[in-house]
Amino acid sequence: MNLIEETVASIAPLDETAMRDARDLQARLTKPPGSLGVLEEVSVRLAGLAGQCPPPQPEPAAVAVFAADHGVHAQGVTPWPQEVTAQMVANFLAGGAVVNAFAAQVGAAVTVVDIGVAAELEEAPGLLRRKVAPGTADMTAGPAMTAEQARRAVGTGIEIARELCARGARCLLTGDMGIANTTASAALIAAFTGLPPERVTGRGTGIDDATHAHKVEVVRTALDRHGLAEGHGRAPMEVLAAVGGLEHAAIAGFVLGAAALRVPVVLDGVIAGAAALAAAVLCPDALGACVAGHRSAEPGHGAAVESLGLRPLVDLELRLGEGTGALLALPLVQSAARVLREVATFDSAGVSEKDAARP
């Protein structure tokens, strides 16, 4: 088997016994049943992923920022020059971006992965040079990637998950950087959900009405070019190669790698959502490792998390990427696990429970 097949074969469903134990423990903790809302279900899923209750604390955490360029940039879908991708990578490495500030706040390590930046990047602390290609091709003219490039990018994402966990990470977070990557994300989301381009294509970095209308048509052209209309029946790797980005493919692999290691992965915004759709088709059980960190302002992200059946933990109208939304949600994920590990039960604390005989 190749790396992708081997990884998929090793991913198992959530452990039902551990989830039942977690629900039972939640009911015995010194609080009204259900009073922690969504965090209780997060704790149950963490227990199911780990196969034990309480689950291990999901820390330390590491965010991998996958950076790549996109050939569809040539279609004028954004006013930002392509050089900004490499410039922002330099900013990440210098510690000057929002992802760095948020990561410092929650004690997460930041690793930048050059999976497909058009420029040649020099070695630097915190940078993993794993370039598959210097950006994708223009998806409106042909496939964004070759089949081999897509496989290599997915495999690289798996390897990065393994590397970060080998360094001690017990929770992984997705990050991304790539000018024009919301265009590729919209195409992927439309292809995987069957929704029309106008429903899933947003304004990315804040484009005007005319550019947004053009962006929608670019996505539609790419979908038509590759026969990705609703009900297309194409395999997930074929969809990734046709209209995806190298960072999408790598993040899909990152999710698969985390799931195989039974480590939670907190998804960021629309780029991660598009990648997670691919991972979920490759292996539905991989979703057991996923937590939707936040709901992006991009309309495609709402469609993606709904299709995935995930409940975003934060909704702040963010649309930055980089891993920022996932980092803001990280303390919530860690708190969900900590409740099962540290909160006393009614019996152990000597606290009286509600009298069942009373209304």
Side-chain angles (χ1 to χ4, degrees), residues 1-354:
M1 289 190 290
N2 63 33
L3 178 59
I4 299 172
E5 293 170 342
E6 171 193 315
T7 302
V8 167
S10 69
I11 297 172
L14 295 177
D15 186 294
E16 293 292 341
T17 300
M19 293 172 72
R20 183 177 64 249
D21 291 345
R23 291 192 180 98
D24 177 67
L25 179 55
Q26 281 283 0
R28 294 184 288 111
L29 299 179
T30 48
K31 61 178 181 58
S35 58
L36 289 179
V38 174
L39 291 188
E40 295 194 13
E41 186 55 31
V42 172
S43 75
V44 169
R45 288 170 59 85
L46 291 174
L49 180 64
Q52 64 185 70
C53 178
Q57 194 62 23
E59 53 189 59
V63 54
V65 182
F66 293 92
D69 280 304
H70 296 261
V72 75
H73 180 274
Q75 295 299 318
V77 293
T78 172
W80 292 85
Q82 193 170 68
E83 292 79 7
V84 170
T85 301
Q87 292 166 358
M88 281 303 299
V89 167
N91 192 26
F92 299 149
L93 297 173
V98 178
V99 64
N100 302 107
F102 286 2
Q105 174 72 23
V106 298
V110 177
T111 297
V112 182
V113 184
D114 174 8
I115 193 71
V117 179
E120 194 60 40
L121 305 179
E122 296 183 359
E123 289 188 16
L127 174 67
L128 296 179
R129 298 196 300 174
R130 304 295 171 83
K131 196 191 304 288
V132 171
T136 55
D138 183 351
M139 65 181 179
T140 65
M145 293 176 271
T146 66
E148 176 59 23
Q149 287 171 342
R151 284 192 296 269
R152 283 182 57 198
V154 173
T156 299
I158 293 171
E159 292 169 351
I160 297 300
R162 291 179 176 182
E163 288 183 32
L164 294 181
C165 289
R167 296 181 195 174
R170 293 298 173 262
C171 185
L172 300 179
L173 291 76
T174 71
D176 63 86
M177 180 61 217
I179 298 300
N181 63 8
T182 60
T183 303
S185 296
L188 286 171
I189 293 167
F192 283 122
T193 65
L195 292 171
E198 60 270 20
R199 285 277 305 279
V200 298
T201 306
R203 295 179 181 269
T205 49
I207 55 179
D208 59 24
D209 289 345
T211 306
H212 179 248
H214 173 63
K215 183 177 177 181
V216 170
E217 290 310 308
V218 167
V219 172
R220 194 187 317 279
T221 297
L223 295 171
D224 291 343
R225 171 72 173 74
H226 299 288
L228 294 176
E230 183 178 3
H232 55 78
R234 300 282 295 278
M237 292 299 295
E238 293 177 339
V239 177
L240 275 173
V243 297
L246 288 156
E247 74 270 53
H248 294 101
I251 292 171
F254 193 65
V255 169
L256 295 175
L261 294 168
R262 312 296 285 186
V263 170
V265 55
V266 185
L267 304 175
D268 194 42
V270 66
I271 286 79
L277 286 170
V281 180
L282 285 165
C283 181
D285 285 333
L287 275 180
C290 295
V291 177
H294 79 117
R295 183 186 301 276
S296 167
E298 286 285 297
H301 189 232
V305 294
E306 182 177 348
S307 179
L308 293 166
L310 298 176
R311 172 79 176 266
L313 298 183
V314 176
D315 190 349
L316 298 174
E317 300 181 8
L318 305 178
R319 53 182 177 84
L320 177 57
E322 302 181 6
T324 50
L327 285 162
L328 288 173
L330 177 62
L332 299 177
V333 178
Q334 294 171 332
S335 295
R338 195 171 295 280
V339 165
L340 290 179
R341 298 182 66 82
E342 298 184 8
V343 175
T345 63
F346 284 102
D347 286 344
S348 67
V351 176
S352 298
E353 297 188 64
K354 181 178 71 172

